[in-house]
Amino acid sequence: MVVSETNKKILLQTPKCASSTISKIFQETYKDSRDIGGHEPKININLINGNLNDYYKILPIRNPYSKLVSFWWTIKESKDHMRFNSGGDFNSFIKTLNKHMNSQQHTIPQYHYYEGNEINKIIRYENLLEDIKSMDDFKNINELPHIHPASMFSKREKPYMDFYNKESIITVNKLYSKDFELFKYEKK
């Protein structure tokens, strides 16, 4: 979570939803901003000066199917897939999700970031630049900063739905049903 107390803005950092990119823009725009909590789904009011209701709260979100493919690539490239017992295969990784839903920030459904935080602005990953520019303080941004090297994405060219089989689609639909409903993403 990044906070600008002078401008009364809070950016919740939803994992795998361009949070690093948005955070960089946020911190370049609001010079007083500070990172106070990483990817925590609830705002810690003890870390905020003043009344939380006075703050404009921003939440980045992403299609759950796309978000999980992105996370799988991250753990696969970091060789961290062993703790998911997935053997490196995407659909095997999806089978392990239920065990990790509450212990791994990257797999927590996004509605946890929304509920109870009285969000003022949602930024969709799928419409990133346009959603960022729709806010007055960011309307002059013409391109997004590159946070991660392009080489990270060279193997990721196929559409994210091509990674899924029928069973993994059913699993994701079930585990992330509230995200699909609340944020109006289409289930496959």
Side-chain angles (χ1 to χ4, degrees):
M1 176 171 50
V2 181
V3 175
S4 168
E5 291 169 348
T6 304
N7 297 283
K8 299 292 186 202
K9 302 274 196 301
I10 296 174
L11 169 66
L12 281 98
Q13 293 177 293
T14 320
K16 308 312 295 175
C17 296
S19 292
S20 297
T21 298
I22 300 167
S23 178
K24 183 172 176 67
I25 293 167
F26 195 91
Q27 290 175 328
E28 287 173 355
T29 303
Y30 307 124
K31 300 299 182 195
D32 74 310
S33 61
R34 57 192 174 94
D35 190 330
I36 62 168
H39 292 356
E40 294 302 319
K42 296 295 177 201
I43 297 171
N44 184 341
I45 59 172
N46 297 322
L47 300 175
I48 307 294
N49 290 328
N51 185 338
L52 185 60
N53 293 329
D54 295 337
Y55 284 81
Y56 186 84
K57 294 168 274 309
I58 304 161
L59 176 69
I61 63 168
R62 185 175 189 174
N63 181 303
Y65 300 121
S66 172
K67 184 176 187 261
L68 289 168
V69 169
S70 178
F71 179 52
W72 173 75
W73 272 112
T74 300
I75 61 174
K76 182 177 176 171
E77 290 169 354
S78 71
K79 308 293 187 243
D80 199 24
H81 62 272
M82 295 311 291
R83 76 182 161 123
F84 286 89
N85 297 320
S86 66
D89 171 75
F90 177 75
N91 290 296
S92 297
F93 159 71
I94 294 297
K95 288 178 186 177
T96 70
L97 275 179
N98 205 27
K99 290 186 257 179
H100 301 286
M101 290 289 287
N102 296 317
S103 64
Q104 172 48 257
Q105 290 177 331
H106 290 75
T107 58
I108 294 173
Q110 296 167 94
Y111 76 86
H112 288 288
Y113 292 82
Y114 184 82
E115 291 185 341
N117 285 326
E118 298 179 20
I119 301 301
N120 303 97
K121 174 68 178 174
I122 288 178
I123 296 176
R124 290 182 179 273
Y125 179 89
E126 300 79 12
N127 197 35
L128 191 58
L129 182 58
E130 292 80 12
D131 282 0
I132 290 171
K133 288 178 73 160
S134 73
M135 297 187 306
D136 286 341
D137 294 344
F138 305 116
K139 65 184 172 194
N140 294 323
I141 293 173
N142 294 315
E143 63 181 281
L144 300 172
H146 295 283
I147 305 299
H148 304 292
S151 62
M152 282 183 68
F153 306 104
S154 62
K155 299 179 217 166
R156 303 181 190 187
E157 292 181 12
K158 73 180 186 178
Y160 61 82
M161 286 310 297
D162 288 356
F163 288 87
Y164 287 85
N165 63 26
K166 274 186 174 181
E167 182 182 345
S168 61
I169 289 171
I170 291 168
T171 299
V172 171
N173 287 348
K174 180 180 173 190
L175 294 175
Y176 294 88
S177 63
K178 199 164 182 176
D179 280 358
F180 285 107
E181 182 181 330
L182 181 64
F183 301 120
K184 304 201 180 337
Y185 284 111
E186 181 183 342
K187 286 183 180 179
K188 303 294 181 188

